[in-house]
Each structure stands twice: as C-alpha cells, then as structure tokens.
C-alpha cells in the first residue's frame, strides 16, 4: 500500500494508497506507531542494520517522540513477530474454508476440500479413476494394510498429459472408530492442514490437491488425500545407502556438503516453530535438482504441530529419530558435524553434551539402534 515513483530526475515520490482503514489523530499513540511499523517490517525485505537505520531516521524526524530508540525497536520487533504468527495461522486455515485458493463442498455424503488449480469435476474424475483402476497399470499400490492404502495413480486425460498423484486412503471399519473420526479430526485432515502450514512457512512438502471425506449415515467411512507425486525422490536412508553405503572415506566433500544441507534444513524447520513428531528418515524425501544441491520434502504430516518455539525435548526427539533411522555409513564424526551445523549460531550449541546424552537415551528407550 505504498507506491514509489523515481520521477524523471530520480526524485523519490512516495504515495500511500488504500485509505479505508486510515484514522486521524492530533497525537498518535505509541502502540499505533508500533503496529504500523511492525506491518511494514513484515512486508519489506531488509537487513537488520537497514531496519535500525530506518527506525533511527523515523524517530529523529519526530521531535515529540520520547520513547528510547532501543526500547522502541524492541516493541516493533515483538509486535512484528506476533502479527506474523497471526498471518501464518490465518493462511494455514484457508485450506479448510472457501478462499481464493481453496474450495469446500459439504453434503450428507461427505466433504470435499480442494485447491482451485483443479475443478470439482476434475477431482471427481481422479477419484473415479482411482476407484475403477485398482488392477490396471495406471495404479501402483505402494502400501496396503487393513487401515490404509497408499497408491500412485497416473491420470488418463484427453490432452495427452498424464500427471501422477499419490493417493493415501484411510478406512474406518467398526462403529467405534467411525464415531471417533467423525467428531475428531482424521489423520488425513491433520495432514491436509499441516501440508498447507509447511508450505506457507517456506518448508517443502508434496503439494496436497484434495481431501475427500466419505460418510455413510453421518459417520466417516473413508478419507482420500490426493497429493503430488515427487519424481526421482528417495527416502533419506535409501539415499544415504545409495550414495555413501560403499564409501569408506568419511572426509568425502560431497558427503560433507550433503550433511550440511540436511542440517540446515532441519534447523530451518525447527527455527520456524515446526515439530514433526514422526521425523524418521522414511518421512524425509530427498531429490537432487542439480549437482551438489538437494531438496528435502517432509511427508506423513498427521503428527505435525506449529508452535512459537520448540522445547529441548522436542528438538532432541527429532534429532534422535533422524539419528537412529540413518545407516551407519554416516559415521560418528559425520553426526557430530551434523549437530555442529544444525546448532550453529543458536543456544543449542552450548547444550551439545546434554543433547548427545538425551539422543542416545531416546534411542535406547524406543529400542532403536543408536548408531
């Protein structure tokens, strides 16, 4: 809502717009100044030194402004953090309401939540092909249990384009489980919301296109979660075994870069207040878009929660899960290097011995091999 025009002689002309929320005061309260500047901070990319210079100029040009600069900057930063949290929660919840990006259809037979990139008819077509192509080459079953079925469906279209979808089906046999999942969010619904939450926070996960909840006599009988299928992706441990399983040189530069990239991604996940309660290596997908670069996708999101700050126990549990589920071709020295990069510039660096001890304890408690 601020337009900037350089003009013909490079003179800056700054013009505010959208005045439907403008108020006039003879003397503006400090809390209003703080809120305005916090919103501006969240919407402009600037370094910490530039932000400080901005606030210094702002207060210098306001002779009646008495709040000390350091205190004022702290108030702006705190308010900006609060507003950003509200913004992220609001954007996350858009996937369960009618919005510019998502649509919701509810009937007596169930509910449909979907991204508007596809129409409702297209989603129904995907579900129809899923239900009718069980034994054809168009559908590959990855996992099947009494409760869950995971498949890859290659969609047949008239345009000659054949997109692939990962479809996770959950079934609820028995009155008790149907009742519970009718009144408590299903795993599919939690995954649907969490996937949106990760994406709005800048963390990669396969894009979820639709969630279908089928009901019978008002009780939930089946859910279908339709997501993008990531081509050429490995589960983390499979990737490690493929790349480093026969490598004895623990100083290998390629391995060091990979460990650094993974540590930085996990640090980013935690710094953004995201806790994945089931962060085993098979829930982290790895792709190589270019030489010496990696993308990490987090999956199985039904136990993901968003918080302001992770506790010591949450961080330690995630680190223990990754540690215990990664093969021993990643040496103890590699693992120490991983933690050093993960904790770089954070208070966790000073607690490394406490973390190491707790990681081993968790591995033993859960009867997993503590590599």
């Amino acid at each position: 809502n601020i337009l900037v025009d350089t003009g013909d002689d490079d003179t800056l002309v700054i013009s505010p717009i959208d005045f439907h929320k403008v108020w006039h005061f003879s003397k503006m309260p400090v809390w209003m100044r703080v809120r305005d500047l916090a919103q501006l901070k969240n919407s402009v990319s600037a370094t910490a030194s530039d932000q400080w210079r901005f606030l210094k100029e702002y207060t210098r040009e306001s002779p009646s402004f008495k709040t000390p600069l350091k205190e004022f900057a702290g108030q702006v930063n705190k308010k900006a953090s609060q507003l950003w949290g509200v913004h992220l929660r609001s954007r996350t919840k858009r996937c369960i309401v009618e919005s510019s990006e998502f649509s919701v259809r509810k009937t007596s037979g169930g509910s449909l939540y979907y991204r508007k990139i596809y129409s409702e008819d297209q989603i129904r077509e995907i579900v129809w092909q899923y239900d009718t192509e069980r034994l054809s080459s168009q559908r590959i079953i990855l996992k099947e249990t009494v409760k869950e079925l995971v498949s890859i469906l290659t969609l047949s279209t008239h345009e000659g384009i054949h997109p692939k979808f990962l479809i996770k089906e959950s079934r609820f046999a028995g009155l008790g489980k149907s009742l519970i999942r009718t009144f408590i969010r299903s795993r599919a619904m939690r995954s649907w919301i969490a996937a949106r939450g990760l994406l709005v926070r800048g963390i990669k996960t396969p894009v979820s296109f639709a969630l279908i909840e089928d009901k019978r006599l008002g009780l939930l009988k089946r859910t279908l979660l339709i997501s993008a299928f990531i081509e050429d992706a490995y589960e983390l441990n499979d990737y490690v075994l493929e790349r480093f399983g026969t490598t004895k040189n623990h100083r290998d530069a390629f391995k060091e870069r990979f460990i650094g990239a993974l540590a930085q991604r996990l640090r980013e996940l935690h710094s953004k207040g995201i806790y994945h309660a089931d962060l085993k290596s098979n829930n982290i997908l790895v792709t190589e878009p270019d030489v010496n670069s990696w993308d990490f996708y987090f999956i199985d999101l039904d136990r993901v929660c968003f918080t302001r700050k992770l506790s010591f126990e949450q961080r330690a549990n995630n680190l223990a899960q990754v540690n215990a589920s990664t093969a021993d071709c990643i040496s103890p020295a590699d693992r120490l290097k991983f933690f050093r990069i993960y904790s770089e510039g954070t208070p966790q660096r000073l607690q490394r011995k406490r973390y190491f001890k707790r990681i081993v304890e968790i591995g033993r408690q859960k009867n997993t091999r503590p590599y």
Side-chain angles (χ1 to χ4, degrees), residues 22-173:
V22 166
W23 297 338
H24 296 273
F25 297 91
S26 57
K27 184 179 179 180
M28 180 177 287
V30 173
W31 71 266
M32 284 192 173
R33 294 176 182 263
V34 168
R35 193 179 190 283
D36 260 6
L37 293 175
Q39 285 183 309
L40 186 62
K41 172 183 167 67
N42 284 340
S43 61
V44 175
S45 178
T47 64
S49 59
D50 285 339
Q51 291 175 26
W52 178 261
R53 180 184 173 192
F54 176 91
L55 289 178
K56 189 175 181 180
E57 289 293 319
Y58 175 88
T59 55
R60 186 175 67 83
E61 295 297 331
S62 304
S64 61
F65 192 67
K66 304 300 182 184
T67 307
L69 178 58
K70 189 173 182 180
E71 178 186 342
F72 185 59
Q75 293 176 0
V76 171
N77 289 335
K78 182 179 179 181
K79 190 63 179 179
S81 180
Q82 292 173 350
L83 291 177
W84 188 246
V86 172
H87 171 72
L88 290 176
R89 288 191 294 273
S90 174
R91 289 186 64 194
T92 298
K93 291 179 180 178
R94 288 180 189 176
C95 66
I96 57 175
V97 296
E98 193 73 28
S99 62
S100 59
E101 190 175 350
F102 294 89
S103 210
V104 179
R105 297 288 182 270
K106 293 189 177 183
T107 65
S108 58
S111 304
L112 168 63
Y113 305 84
Y114 64 97
R115 286 180 177 271
K116 290 183 176 178
I117 188 174
Y118 289 106
S119 68
E120 182 178 352
D121 289 341
Q122 287 174 313
I123 297 297
R124 300 290 185 193
E125 175 66 19
I126 293 172
V127 174
W128 181 84
Q129 287 199 30
Y130 171 81
D131 286 332
T132 58
E133 298 284 352
R134 181 175 176 82
L135 300 178
S136 79
S137 60
Q138 300 296 105
R139 181 175 167 193
I140 302 172
I141 296 177
L142 301 179
K143 174 184 175 183
E144 185 169 15
T145 66
V146 175
K147 299 178 181 178
E148 188 176 70
L149 178 63
V150 182
S151 308
I152 301 171
L153 177 69
T154 303
L155 187 65
S156 300
T157 63
H158 298 296
E159 294 81 10
I161 302 172
H162 304 289
K164 287 185 179 180
F165 299 96
L166 186 76
I167 302 181
K168 183 176 288 189
E169 176 183 352
S170 296
R171 307 151 177 166
F172 305 100

Side-chain angles (χ1 to χ4, degrees), residues 145-370:
T145 66
V146 175
K147 299 178 181 178
E148 188 176 70
L149 178 63
V150 182
S151 308
I152 301 171
L153 177 69
T154 303
L155 187 65
S156 300
T157 63
H158 298 296
E159 294 81 10
I161 302 172
H162 304 289
K164 287 185 179 180
F165 299 96
L166 186 76
I167 302 181
K168 183 176 288 189
E169 176 183 352
S170 296
R171 307 151 177 166
F172 305 100
L175 180 61
K177 291 182 179 179
S178 293
L179 275 171
I180 291 171
R181 291 308 168 197
T182 299
F183 298 104
I184 299 176
R185 279 178 177 167
S186 64
R187 290 180 61 188
M189 174 60 81
R190 296 198 301 270
S191 295
W192 172 253
I193 296 172
R196 170 67 175 173
L198 260 63
L199 290 174
V200 300
R201 288 165 176 80
I203 301 296
K204 289 183 181 294
T205 187
V207 176
S208 294
F209 294 118
L211 167 64
I212 297 95
E213 295 183 325
D214 288 336
K215 293 183 178 181
R216 191 178 307 155
L217 300 177
L219 298 180
L220 190 62
K221 288 299 180 182
R222 181 179 80 154
T223 61
L224 291 174
L225 183 62
I226 304 173
S227 306
F229 176 71
I230 307 299
E231 296 278 3
D232 301 321
Y234 290 82
E235 291 180 359
L236 174 61
N237 196 52
D238 291 341
Y239 180 86
V240 166
L241 289 170
E242 174 75 19
R243 292 298 192 199
F244 314 119
T246 57
T247 301
K248 301 302 181 184
N249 181 9
H250 295 298
R251 297 182 181 275
D252 181 82
F254 182 80
K255 183 199 279 189
E256 289 184 7
R257 287 192 292 270
F258 172 76
I259 290 170
L262 177 61
Q264 290 170 6
R265 189 60 62 243
L266 194 56
R267 180 177 64 194
E268 181 186 10
L269 184 82
H270 288 167
S271 69
K272 292 183 175 181
I274 302 169
Y275 174 62
H276 192 316
D278 194 21
L279 196 64
K280 297 177 292 189
S281 63
N282 60 335
N283 287 333
I284 303 174
L285 301 182
V286 184
T287 63
E288 285 185 10
D290 297 299
V291 178
N292 290 327
S293 70
W294 299 269
D295 284 334
F296 299 95
Y297 295 83
F298 297 90
I299 60 173
D300 279 3
L301 307 178
D302 57 288
R303 297 177 64 193
V304 165
C305 67
F306 302 101
T307 181
R308 190 178 66 84
K309 184 179 180 181
L310 268 68
S311 66
F312 167 83
E313 193 65 22
Q314 287 173 321
R315 288 178 181 270
N317 190 54
N318 270 181
L319 293 170
Q321 288 171 325
V322 175
N323 182 65
S325 60
T326 306
D328 56 3
C329 57
I330 301 297
S331 69
D334 293 328
R335 294 165 195 267
L336 292 175
K337 187 176 299 178
F338 174 92
F339 186 83
R340 178 178 59 78
I341 298 171
Y342 166 83
S343 61
E344 192 170 4
T346 70
Q348 286 74 49
R349 188 70 176 272
L350 303 176
Q351 297 179 292
R352 55 188 178 276
K353 290 184 180 179
R354 185 184 174 201
Y355 273 103
F356 299 158
K357 181 179 178 181
R358 185 60 183 141
I359 287 167
V360 173
E361 287 176 352
I362 292 172
R364 288 173 177 164
Q365 288 169 4
K366 295 184 177 181
N367 199 27
T368 58
R369 178 181 175 186

